[in-house]
Amino acid sequence: MATLQDIVYSAAINLLSALVFLLAFAILRLQPINDRVYFPKWYLKGIRASPIHSRAIVSKFVNMDLKTYIRFLNWMPAALRMPEPELIDHAGLDSVVYIRIYLMGLKIFVPITLLAFAVLVPVNWTGGTLEQIKDLTFSNIDKLSISNIPPGSKRFCAHVLMSYIFTFWTFYVIYKEYKTTAFMRLQFLASESRRPDQFTVLVRNVPPDPDESVTEHVEHFFCVNHPDHYLTHQVVYNANKLANLVAKKKSLQNWLTYHQNKYERNPSSKPTTKTGFWGLWGTRVDAIDYYTAEIGKLSEEEDKERERVINDPNAVVPAAFVSFKSRWGAAVCAQTQQTSNPTIWLTERAPEPRDVYWDNLAIPYFELTIRRLLVAVGLFFLIFFFMLPIAFVQSLASIEGIEKVFPFLKPVIEMKFIKSLVQGILPGIALKIFLIVLPIILIIMSKIEGFTSLSSLDRRSAVKYHLFLLVNVFVGSIVTGTAMDQLKTFLNQSATEIPKTIGVSIPLKATFFITYIMVDGWSAIAAEILRLVPLVMFHLKNTFLVKTEQDRDQAMDPGCVDFATSEPRIQFYFLLGLVYAAVTPLLLPFIIVFFAFSYTVFRHQIINVYNQKYESGAAFWPDVHRRLIIGLIIAQLLLLGLMSTKEARELTPLLVALPILTIWFHVFCKGRFESAFVKFPLQDAMVRDTLERATDPNLNLKMYLQDAYIHPVFRGGELERPEIIDEEEDNPLVPTTRNSQKSQSKYSSDVSSGAGS
Amino acid sequence: MATLQDIVYSAAINLLSALVFLLAFAILRLQPINDRVYFPKWYLKGIRASPIHSRAIVSKFVNMDLKTYIRFLNWMPAALRMPEPELIDHAGLDSVVYIRIYLMGLKIFVPITLLAFAVLVPVNWTGGTLEQIKDLTFSNIDKLSISNIPPGSKRFCAHVLMSYIFTFWTFYVIYKEYKTTAFMRLQFLASESRRPDQFTVLVRNVPPDPDESVTEHVEHFFCVNHPDHYLTHQVVYNANKLANLVAKKKSLQNWLTYHQNKYERNPSSKPTTKTGFWGLWGTRVDAIDYYTAEIGKLSEEEDKERERVINDPNAVVPAAFVSFKSRWGAAVCAQTQQTSNPTIWLTERAPEPRDVYWDNLAIPYFELTIRRLLVAVGLFFLIFFFMLPIAFVQSLASIEGIEKVFPFLKPVIEMKFIKSLVQGILPGIALKIFLIVLPIILIIMSKIEGFTSLSSLDRRSAVKYHLFLLVNVFVGSIVTGTAMDQLKTFLNQSATEIPKTIGVSIPLKATFFITYIMVDGWSAIAAEILRLVPLVMFHLKNTFLVKTEQDRDQAMDPGCVDFATSEPRIQFYFLLGLVYAAVTPLLLPFIIVFFAFSYTVFRHQIINVYNQKYESGAAFWPDVHRRLIIGLIIAQLLLLGLMSTKEARELTPLLVALPILTIWFHVFCKGRFESAFVKFPLQDAMVRDTLERATDPNLNLKMYLQDAYIHPVFRGGELERPEIIDEEEDNPLVPTTRNSQKSQSKYSSDVSSGAGS
C-alpha cells in the first residue's frame, strides 16, 4: 500500500515533469524556426506566412525578445479566449464538440467534488474503523475513504444518498450536453454551404446483373424507383493497385529530392545509392539518375494502370455514389429501404468526399457479418491476452515483486525515496507502454469490419479501445494489482461476484489510480502540447527534403484530434471519477485538474495546431453519451458490490434502482436525440432546397456533383477536368467569410504574441 | 423423484383425458345444433347456411347418421388436406404462419430426436454411474440421461458434439423458415388488393400550434414537406366517452331482446325487472318498457356526444392518419424522419383500420418513456411475486409436502396408485392455474405502454408472457421444485452460478416436464378443439337472445389464434426440447407428439373456427425467431453449466463458442430478413403504383381513403356516407375470387362430411 507520502512524491515528480514540458513548450514555441510546428493550423489556413523574409539571420531562427519569455503561460488565456461560434468556423464542429467533453467533465465533477468533500469526507474521516484494527497498515488516504466506516454502520446511508445525488446530477449535465450538441449539430448542418454529400447517397451491394454493367444497372434502378429525384451517379473503381503505385512513386520522389538537395549543397561529390532493398545492397549507381529513371518507369506503369482501371468493367466494384436533384430526394433515399431483399441496394447518407474509406465499399453482406464475427472474437482474444503481460509487469513493479526477482536490488529499493518512486510511478508506466501499440491494431480491426468512412472507423476503434481500457486498465489494475493469483480465480468466478470482488478492492486502489491520473493525465497532456515527435520530424524534413515554400507546408504535420484513442481515455477518467466519487472522494480533485488542464491544452491545440481530416458534424456524440452511461452503471454496480460486503443489506435494494434508472435515462435520451445524429430530417432538407432554388435558380447541380466522389488517386494524377475539383475545393467545409478570417487573424496574433510573425 | 411407472400412469391418464376430449368433440361436432360452434368460419364467410330448413325436427339438433360416428378422427386428415396457398386465402397469413411454428417444431425435433436416440441414449445407458451409487434412488429415466455418465468421463465428448450438431441443425431450419416467412409475407403484401393502409401513414405527436388547429397544422406541414405526394388526412377524435355510451347501449339492447323473447314465449306474464344495479334491487317495473325508455335516453345522449366530439376542437387528439397519392409517397413518409426534433411528427406505417388501437394515439413522448419504465418495473415485480405462490404450491404438491401439512392424509397418499397420481399431475396443474389470469394483466400492461395497434399489443404481451414463462415456469419449476429453500439462496447467488445450479437440476426435472407436456400440451390442446366455453355460451345466447338469423351469427364466438399466450407457450416447448435434447433425450418424443398434435388441431381450428381480428402479415415472425434464439442460448448455457460441474473442464471452452455463434447467427438473420417485416420497400411500392396507374387510371383515391380511418363508434352510428365504408368492406383483405370460394366450399363439405349441411 502506498502511503500519503508516496502520493505527494509522485505528485511532485509528475508536476515537475509537466512543468518541464510546459516550460520547454513555452520556450520552443517562441522560436520562429518552430513556428510551423506550433502554429501549423494558421499556415494551412493561409493566414500566417513564414517569418523568414523580414528579419535578420539570427532572429529568423531564435527569438531574442526576452520579454516574451517572462509570461510563459500566456498561451493559456489566449487559448480560452476565442468564442465558441468562431471556434466552430475555425476548427470545425468535431473538434469543438470534442473539447466540450472535457468541459462536461468539469461540469459534472466540480459540484460532485464540493459535495463529496462537504459530506462524505467528514463522514468517512470520523468512521474510526481503521484505527481499531491493529495489524492493518493503512494510510491517511484510506481514512478518508469508505473503508473507514465499520460494517453495518448507519453512515452508509450518506453514501447511498450521495450516490443518488451524483447520479441525478450526472443525468442533468449529460442530458443538457446531449441537447446542446444535437442543437449545435443541426445548426452546423443547416449553416453549411452546399456540399456534395448533401445530395448524395452511398449505394452498396448493387446486385450483379448479367445483361447490364454496374453503372447501367444503377442508373436504371434509380430512374425507375426515384423517378422525380434521381440526377446522376458515380461508380467506384477498385483502385487499390493504382493507389499503391502512387504511394510508391511519392516515396521515390522524396528520395530523389533528398539526393538533389544533398548534391546542391555539396556539388563536389555526386550522391550514389545501391539498387537493392532500402539502398542497403546491390550495385552502386548514381542516385539522381537512378531515381529519375525509376520514377519515369513508375509513371508509365501508373498511366497504364489508370487506363486499365477506367476501361476495365471488372475494376468497377458493385457500389456507387448516387446523386439526387434535391437534398430532400437524397434524404429520402438514404433513409428508406429500396428492395424487398434488405441486403442489396443498401443506401446510406454518403460521407463527405475526404471521409470516404475507399477500400471497404465492395464487401457483400454475408462476408460483412463473417468479418464482424471474426473481429469480435479477435477483439475478445486481444483483450484477454493483453491482460496477462500487464498483470505480470505490475506484479513485478511492486516492491515485493522486484525484491523477489532481483534480490540484489533489495538495499537500493529499500531506500525510502526510491521505494516511493518505484511504488508511485512504475505501475502507471507499465500500463502506458502497453497502450502505445494498441490503437494501430484496433484501427486495422475496424477496417476489417468493413466500415466505409474514416469517421466511422474512428468511432468503431474508439468502441474497441474503450472496452480494452475497461477490462485491462480498470478491472485489470484493480484485481491483479492486489494479488496476481486473483486473475485466475476471477476468470472462473461468477458474474455477480465480480462487482463484489472489484467493489471491495476499489478503495484499496485509490492511490494507484491517483498516480495513474498524474502520469497519464497530467504529464502526458503536457507532453502533447510540446509535440516532440512532430517537432523532430519537421526539422528532419526541413533539413533534407524541403526546397520550396510548398514543400515546407507539406513537411508540417499538424496532426488532428485522435478520436479513436483520446475519447476512450477521457471516458476512463469519467469512469474513475464516478466510481470513486462515493468511495474515495480524495481522487476527485486530481480528475478535475486533469479535465481543466486538458481542456486548455486541447483548446490551444485545435486553435493553433490540429488540422481535421474530416468533418462528421459531431456524429460521435451518441457514443460519448453511451460510454458515460456505461461508466455510471459500472460505478453503481461496484458501489452495490462494495455495500453488499459491508453488511449494509437493507441499503442495497435502494442501490439496485440506480442502474435501472440509468438504463431508462439512456433509452430516453437515445429516443430523444440520437436520430439527430443519424438521420437528416426532411423538413430541414426541404427548407434548404427551397432556399437554394430561390437564391441560385440557375445552378448546374449535375456539373457540380459530377466529379465529387472520385477516388483520390485519380485526383492527384493528370486527369482531365481539374477545374471541377478546384471548384469543389473552393467550397470548403467551413465557410471562411471575411469576418471570420479577420477574427482568426486577430487570435492568431494574440496567441503567438511575440512569436515574431 | 418420480419413477418410470409414474410417468406411465400420468401418460395413461393424460392420453385418456385427451381421448375423452377428442371423442366428445367428434360426437358434438356432428350434431347440427352445434354446427355454428364448430364451423363458424364457414358461416362468417357466407359459404355455409344453417341446416335448419331442410330437415326433420330431430335431425335439426341431433345427428342420427351412425356411420359418421365410426371414423371419429376423420377431421384430422381433412384438416391437413387444404394446400397452403388456399389456406392463406381462407384464413390469412397470420394464422398460416402461426401454425407453421408447430411445423417448424417438427422439422427441428424429429431429426434431433432420431440422432439423440441413436447416439446419446446408448452412451448414457451404458454410463453406469447410477448403479454404483448405492444410497441414491433413481429411475430408469435417469439411466437414459446424462446423469448416468461418471464425472470427468470422455463420453461427454458425445454430448458436446451432439450439442453442436443440434445447434447447427436448428440454425438451418430456422434460417430457412425465416427466409420462407419473409418471402411469404412479401408475396402476400404484393398480392393484396388495394387497402387504405398502403397509402396511409400514422402521424403522432403533432406539436401544438397557437394559430392553427391540428387538422390545419397537419395539412400545412405535409403540403410543405411532401408537396408532390400528400393527398389528404383524417384527424383522430378522442371518442372514448362515446365508445362507452355505445357499449352501454348495446348491453341494454341485449337485455331488451332477452325480455322480449321471454315475453313472446310466455305471453301470459309480462317480464319485470328492478331498476337498481344489475336488476338486483330498486322498484320493480315492466322490463320491456323500462329498457326501451333507457335505450331511447342513451340514444339521445349518444347523438349529443357525437355532435360534441365532431365539433369540439379539444376532442381532436394530436395525431392523424395522413394519406398520400401513391404507395411510394406513403412508404417514404413512414420511413423517414420529418423534423429535427425526433419526438414530434412521428410517422409510421398505419395499421390496417380494424387493427388500430384508438385509445393510445395521443400519448406524448416523455409520458411514453415513463410509462414504459413503469411497466418494466411492474413486470419485474409481477414476475418476481408470482414466483412465491407457485413455489409454495409446488412444495405442497410433493408427497412429502402434503404429508407434512396434512398428516391425516398420509395413509391415502401412500397408496401406490394415488402417490403416482399426485406426483404425476399435481405440479403441472398447480402451474396451469396460475397461468390463467395472467394474459389479461399482460395485455393491460401492454396497453399502458402505449402501442397503437392491436397486433403490436399482442406482440408486446407475448414478449412479457414469454419472460414470465421463462422465469416462473422454467426456472421456477427447476429450482424450487428440488428444494424450496433454494429460492432464497438463488436470489443472492451470482449470475454464472445460475447456469450451474439450473444445469445440475435439469436432468432431475425431466420427469416433471414430461408430465407438464402431457397435461399442458396434450390434454389442453385436445380441450382447445372441444371449445367447451364457446359451446356453452353459444347455446345460452341461442336460447335467450337469438331472434333472427343475424342474431345467431352474432352469437357465434369464433375466437381467434391468441398469439399473446399461445406463441410463448410454443416457445416453452421449443426451450424444453432444446434444453433436454443433449441431457435427457427421452423427453423429445413427448415434444414431437405435442407439435404434431397441435399442428393438426390448430390447422383444423383456423380452417373451421377462428376468425382473425386483424391481419398483420406475419409481422410477429422476428419475435418468434428471437425467442427461438433465446431458447437456444439458454440450452447452451445450461449444458455449459452442467458440464462444468461434471469435471469436464477441457470440454467447456468448446461449448462457450456455441452461444457466441448463436448470437452472431441472430444478428445475421436480423440484418438479412428483419426489415422485410418492418419496412415497405420502395421498389415494391413503385411496382404496385405503376400497375395501378395502368389498370385503374380513373381511380378517385381521395374518395376511397376519405373515411377509411374513422373511429369505429362513428361507423356503427347513423353517420352519412355509409357507401364509402361499404366500398372498403367490399375490398376485403383476402381476395375471395370465385376460384378460391369454390375450393373453400369443397373443403367445407370435406371437413364436415356428414355433419349435414
Side-chain angles (χ1 to χ4, degrees), chain B residues 239-382:
Chain B
N240 292 349
K241 197 182 161 193
L242 187 58
N244 284 342
L245 287 176
V246 170
K248 203 171 163 191
K249 191 174 147 193
K250 199 180 164 195
S251 132
L252 288 178
Q253 196 80 49
N254 272 344
W255 278 112
L256 180 62
T257 319
Y258 165 73
H259 288 296
Q260 280 171 339
N261 280 357
K262 208 167 156 190
Y263 184 57
E264 271 170 33
R265 270 170 220 156
N266 182 11
S268 58
S269 74
K270 267 215 131 186
T272 56
T273 188
K274 286 173 180 169
T275 55
F277 182 70
W278 270 24
L280 292 179
W281 54 75
T283 43
R284 181 164 291 278
V285 291
D286 180 278
I288 295 176
D289 293 350
Y290 172 70
Y291 281 112
T292 314
E294 285 288 309
I295 289 171
K297 261 192 276 174
L298 264 182
S299 292
E300 249 172 65
E301 218 177 309
E302 201 187 310
D303 288 347
K304 239 185 272 167
E305 173 71 15
R306 183 169 285 133
E307 203 69 17
R308 188 191 71 74
V309 165
I310 292 178
N311 296 322
D312 181 8
N314 291 327
V316 176
V317 303
F321 288 94
V322 178
S323 298
F324 291 81
K325 285 178 192 145
S326 61
R327 292 175 180 82
W328 193 91
V332 160
C333 181
Q335 291 176 47
T336 49
Q337 193 189 337
Q338 306 306 313
T339 70
S340 53
N341 181 345
T343 63
I344 56 173
W345 295 109
L346 294 177
T347 55
E348 58 186 283
R349 222 194 145 181
E352 58 161 340
R354 55 181 171 159
D355 191 12
V356 176
Y357 183 69
W358 296 89
D359 297 357
N360 275 349
L361 293 179
I363 305 168
Y365 176 76
F366 183 75
E367 193 184 324
L368 213 61
T369 55
I370 289 280
R371 278 162 174 246
R372 300 222 165 131
L373 172 68
L374 290 181
V375 168
V377 172
L379 184 67
F380 172 78
F381 280 101
L382 179 75

Side-chain angles (χ1 to χ4, degrees), chain B residues 21-38:
Chain B
F21 286 135
L22 288 180
L23 268 173
F25 166 68
I27 293 164
L28 286 172
R29 72 187 262 277
L30 292 179
Q31 311 314 319
I33 199 177
N34 295 328
D35 211 43
R36 278 172 188 277
V37 178
Y38 293 114

Side-chain angles (χ1 to χ4, degrees), chain B residues 124-140:
Chain B
N124 291 341
W125 184 262
T126 55
T129 310
L130 295 177
E131 284 103 340
Q132 291 168 7
I133 306 169
K134 290 260 169 63
D135 55 345
L136 194 79
T137 53
F138 64 93
S139 67
N140 287 335

Side-chain angles (χ1 to χ4, degrees), chain B residues 579-620:
Chain B
V579 166
Y580 279 101
V583 175
T584 310
L586 189 70
L587 188 124
L588 294 174
F590 292 87
I591 292 209
I592 289 178
V593 170
F594 163 77
F595 279 121
F597 185 45
S598 304
Y599 177 67
T600 325
V601 166
F602 279 100
R603 212 168 199 276
H604 173 265
Q605 299 293 83
I606 67 165
I607 291 176
N608 296 308
V609 182
Y610 295 153
N611 183 39
Q612 55 185 8
K613 282 183 298 189
Y614 56 80
E615 174 64 55
S616 72
F620 55 79

